[in-house]
Amino acid sequence: MPCKLLNLCEYETHKLVRIQSARLGSLKWTFNGVILMFICILMFWNKEYQEHDYVVSSVTAKVKGVAMTSLPDVGDIVWDVVDYSGPSQGKNSFFVVTNVIVTKNQRQGKCPEVPPYGKVCWTDKDCVKGFWDQNSHGVQTGACVKFDVKQKTCEVSTWCPIETKKTPPKPALLASAENFTVLIKNNIRFPNFNFIRRNILPEMTDSYLKHCQFNRRTDPWCPIFRLGDIVQEARENFSEMAVEGGVIGIQIKWDCNLDGFLRNCLPKYSFRRLDEKESNRTLYPGLNFRFARYQTEKGVGERTLFKAFGIRFDVMVFGKAGKFSIIQLIIYIGSTLSYYALTTLFIDWLIGTSCFSKEARQNYSEKKVESVQDRQQCILCVSFVDENHIRVVKRSHRKSLQQVKPMSVHPFKDDIRHLSAMAGVLQKGHSIDKQPQALPRPSRPAWCLCGCCLPSTHPQEQLCCRMNRGRCITTSSLFEQLVLSRPLLEAVLLYREPLCELTEGEQWTTAMRHCAYNQYITWRFGAPPRESLPVIPSCSVWRIREEYSSQDGEYTGMRPRRTTSPQSSPNT
């Protein structure tokens, strides 16, 4: 469509097909009702009418508890929060020692390396002075010394005696740490809504916090947790986990609704183990680190080495807040309107199945779908006297029209006006018993099967009236009466132009010839398929031209163009 200023004042809309059917109508409204119910449930369940913002948070933790352990060669040790908290574990994490291996009275000196980390040797030549690797406890001195009664290892400069025990004691020495408590303080903010909240709720008093302890059933919002309860909520056994240590995740989820009287913003706590607990599935199970306590004995520096096993608790905060937004509601409604197209798709599919008769499916398809052909192509339709359907083909510039394969096949549709005209002819007593004799052409082309066609150099004119050999349609008595009859053709011309003067001459002959072409098309094609051009067989064209010939004997032949009605003739 050309771009014009007046096009801005035009409006285009879709063409609709309305089917009067109680069954399809009730089915449509049932489906639309189900879709509407689904949209509403989804909207309220997921709060699609809200604008959302994600949480920004900070976490601090304070552990409380005291334990006493009795260590061999060390004695009783009291562990308070400074002792068992260990070094900083990073943001939003805290650590609690649950088990230890102690190596007492280490001094700087020389001692044999411990197998399997130390190289087993026989002489000093087997040891390299100054050598060390990532598994060594110290730097080799180059001497091969006795480790025990059975073997020798390379001597190293290090803290002696070297730690030899590798397996942590069972049960864990600080198993009583399960009774320690931790206060978790979580401050959150939703920037888009300027909303601030913390997990110590406004209604919580100082006296309440001194006595409360988290319990999922009786006190689910208390921010003070017993370590044993945390591990139990993660479906683990504290006594078993305390031996080698591990990692526990504390998840705080904020799902806040900030809409008026529905306002609700409370934390939900959940717990799970984050590390792999099975020793046979990992090379380094649990969690441990080393630290030392230094002292001076008779002017010599000493230390007590502790290999501490424990549980690290990682606090992870998730959440979002929602608040009503008219813009989000409009966007959601607009995005869900497309769901109603499912009703149309389903009913269209249903009509195309065997639930409806073939005639009903074809009638609906013709009403709903309007085919528009490419203007660069010429779509033709042909009708053979020995077939009861019409073929739609593409025009070919190389192959004769007789040999072109059809694009589609359509049933023949009678033209009511032509049937009425024929009935009028019969009522007037016209005889149709006479059998016209069509003379065979002396130079019959190869594509002719009736023997009455003339050669043509144009592929679109190389068409016979038959698909198989047999009698020509021009020998039919109806051809004489419906196509060539002068009284009938004159009556048709007067019907179209009541005041025209039928005086013989070149103009009269041309009008009669064109009317004969249209009579043949109406007779043999009825109502041709839309956007297609009916083609008259060569034998019929030349029979009409013989009856109503041009004075100069010149004819333009077939001119491929689109027709708007069955009466439009492609031949002149």
Side-chain angles (χ1 to χ4, degrees):
M1 184 176 63
C3 182
K4 298 180 180 179
L5 185 61
L6 292 178
N7 295 146
L8 299 176
C9 301
E10 294 179 354
Y11 172 73
E12 298 178 356
T13 186
H14 296 286
K15 178 181 178 181
L16 298 178
V17 178
R18 180 173 297 169
I19 303 177
Q20 301 293 339
S21 170
R23 180 172 58 171
L24 292 180
S26 58
L27 189 62
K28 179 193 75 171
W29 287 113
T30 300
F31 263 85
N32 286 345
V34 171
I35 292 174
L36 179 61
M37 183 174 62
F38 172 77
I39 291 174
C40 292
I41 292 175
L42 201 64
M43 180 179 68
F44 287 106
W45 183 268
N46 294 331
K47 298 181 177 63
E48 298 289 349
Y49 53 86
Q50 288 185 336
E51 178 186 2
H52 295 97
D53 188 23
Y54 291 93
V55 68
V56 177
S57 78
S58 65
V59 175
T60 58
K62 182 183 293 186
V63 183
K64 289 187 177 181
V66 178
M68 176 178 287
T69 61
S70 181
L71 300 178
D73 301 328
V74 177
D76 294 337
I77 298 179
V78 176
W79 298 76
D80 63 10
V81 65
V82 177
D83 299 315
Y84 59 68
S85 292
S88 174
Q89 298 293 314
K91 184 180 179 181
N92 298 347
S93 297
F94 62 93
F95 184 86
V96 176
V97 176
T98 57
N99 206 1
V100 290
I101 296 175
V102 181
T103 305
K104 188 180 178 184
N105 300 330
Q106 284 187 326
R107 294 184 178 184
Q108 287 282 350
K110 297 177 182 180
C111 51
E113 180 65 282
V114 177
Y117 303 108
K119 181 180 179 182
V120 177
C121 60
W122 302 99
T123 65
D124 292 346
K125 294 180 180 180
D126 296 329
C127 302
V128 179
K129 185 177 180 179
F131 175 80
W132 67 275
D133 60 25
Q134 62 180 1
N135 295 319
S136 300
H137 288 96
V139 180
Q140 292 184 14
T141 63
C144 181
V145 296
K146 190 175 182 178
F147 176 74
D148 55 24
V149 295
K150 294 183 179 181
Q151 57 185 342
K152 293 181 179 181
T153 59
C154 293
E155 184 183 58
V156 292
S157 295
T158 185
W159 287 91
C160 299
I162 296 175
E163 178 185 79
T164 57
K165 189 176 181 181
K166 303 301 177 184
T167 305
K170 291 184 181 180
L173 298 178
L174 277 80
S176 61
E178 68 176 326
N179 294 316
F180 293 174
T181 60
V182 57
L183 169 63
I184 298 177
K185 294 186 289 184
N186 178 210
N187 295 276
I188 65 164
R189 183 170 181 263
F190 295 103
N192 287 353
F193 305 131
N194 196 26
F195 181 82
I196 299 175
R197 176 61 64 95
R198 64 176 184 164
N199 65 331
I200 301 178
L201 304 178
E203 58 269 19
M204 294 181 180
T205 62
D206 184 60
S207 59
Y208 167 79
L209 292 175
K210 288 181 179 180
H211 299 91
C212 81
Q213 193 172 99
F214 175 84
N215 184 288
R216 187 169 298 281
R217 295 182 178 85
T218 60
D219 204 348
W221 295 296
C222 178
I224 299 175
F225 304 84
R226 179 177 171 270
L227 299 188
D229 294 338
I230 293 177
V231 175
Q232 185 180 1
E233 286 281 341
R235 298 183 179 180
E236 297 292 337
N237 185 289
F238 190 92
S239 298
E240 295 177 359
M241 190 174 182
V243 174
E244 293 182 323
V247 183
I248 293 290
I250 302 174
Q251 297 175 328
I252 306 177
K253 183 178 180 181
W254 296 85
D255 189 5
C256 299
N257 185 355
L258 305 183
D259 286 336
F261 64 93
L262 295 176
R263 175 168 297 210
N264 179 34
C265 193
L266 295 173
K268 292 182 180 179
Y269 301 96
S270 60
F271 313 89
R272 61 187 297 265
R273 184 164 185 171
L274 302 180
D275 66 317
E276 177 56 64
K277 67 178 181 178
E278 298 295 338
S279 298
N280 59 346
R281 295 184 184 178
T282 178
L283 293 176
Y284 303 101
L287 180 65
N288 62 78
F289 69 95
R290 289 176 174 86
F291 69 95
R293 291 179 178 175
Y294 297 87
Q295 66 271 355
T296 302
E297 184 70 22
K298 297 181 181 180
V300 180
E302 292 183 353
R303 75 176 187 182
T304 300
L305 179 65
F306 294 86
K307 184 178 180 181
F309 299 83
I311 303 174
R312 190 182 75 195
F313 296 87
D314 294 340
V315 183
M316 298 168 286
V317 182
F318 308 92
K320 67 176 182 178
K323 193 173 184 179
F324 177 79
S325 171
I326 187 64
I327 295 177
Q328 292 298 322
L329 179 60
I330 294 174
I331 291 175
Y332 176 75
I333 293 175
S335 64
T336 55
L337 289 179
S338 58
Y339 292 167
Y340 288 101
L342 296 175
T343 301
T344 303
L345 291 175
F346 176 77
I347 294 180
D348 286 349
W349 171 82
L350 191 64
I351 293 176
T353 62
S354 57
C355 296
F356 288 81
S357 63
K358 182 178 180 181
E359 293 76 11
R361 297 198 302 268
Q362 182 176 351
N363 181 54
Y364 174 74
S365 177
E366 291 178 354
K367 297 293 185 181
K368 178 178 176 61
V369 181
E370 181 177 354
S371 299
V372 178
Q373 304 294 342
D374 188 355
R375 292 189 176 273
Q376 300 300 322
Q377 298 179 353
C378 182
I379 306 301
L380 309 176
C381 62
V382 297
S383 174
F384 297 107
V385 70
D386 51 350
E387 292 182 349
N388 59 354
H389 53 256
I390 297 174
R391 298 186 177 198
V392 176
V393 299
K394 284 185 180 180
R395 178 190 176 188
S396 175
H397 294 281
R398 298 181 181 180
K399 189 183 294 185
S400 68
L401 190 59
Q402 183 76 17
Q403 300 172 349
V404 175
K405 294 183 179 180
M407 297 168 50
S408 60
V409 177
H410 298 261
F412 182 84
K413 294 184 179 180
D414 291 320
D415 191 321
I416 303 301
R417 293 179 299 174
H418 186 268
L419 292 177
S420 301
M422 182 177 177
V425 171
L426 296 176
Q427 288 177 359
K428 290 182 179 181
H430 292 283
S431 174
I432 58 174
D433 296 330
K434 179 182 177 181
Q435 300 291 333
Q437 299 296 321
L439 299 177
R441 307 292 181 182
S443 56
R444 181 175 65 87
W447 47 265
C448 177
L449 299 175
C450 68
C452 299
C453 300
L454 288 179
S456 175
T457 58
H458 302 291
Q460 69 270 16
E461 295 181 356
Q462 298 174 2
L463 179 67
C464 183
C465 65
R466 302 186 62 89
M467 199 59 194
N468 301 292
R469 291 190 179 278
R471 198 173 141 205
C472 182
I473 192 173
T474 58
T475 62
S476 169
S477 57
L478 278 179
F479 186 87
E480 182 75 22
Q481 297 295 326
L482 296 178
V483 178
L484 301 180
S485 173
R486 295 197 175 202
L488 179 60
L489 297 180
E490 290 178 350
V492 172
L493 290 175
L494 286 174
Y495 178 79
R496 295 176 182 170
E497 299 182 22
L499 301 180
C500 70
E501 297 182 3
L502 300 178
T503 56
E504 293 194 11
E506 182 64 21
Q507 185 178 2
W508 177 84
T509 303
T510 301
M512 294 289 281
R513 184 168 63 250
H514 290 176
C515 187
Y517 291 150
N518 289 332
Q519 283 295 104
Y520 182 89
I521 292 173
T522 307
W523 175 36
R524 293 303 308 153
F525 291 89
R530 300 186 64 177
E531 300 292 331
S532 63
L533 180 67
V535 182
I536 304 175
S538 174
C539 52
S540 301
V541 170
W542 284 106
R543 181 67 186 89
I544 293 172
R545 288 176 179 175
E546 289 173 355
E547 187 72 21
Y548 303 101
S549 58
S550 174
Q551 291 182 358
D552 55 7
E554 295 293 333
Y555 304 96
T556 59
M558 179 181 175
R559 293 183 296 183
R561 65 178 186 274
R562 299 189 178 277
T563 58
T564 57
S565 67
Q567 281 69 33
S568 299
S569 172
N571 299 277
T572 57

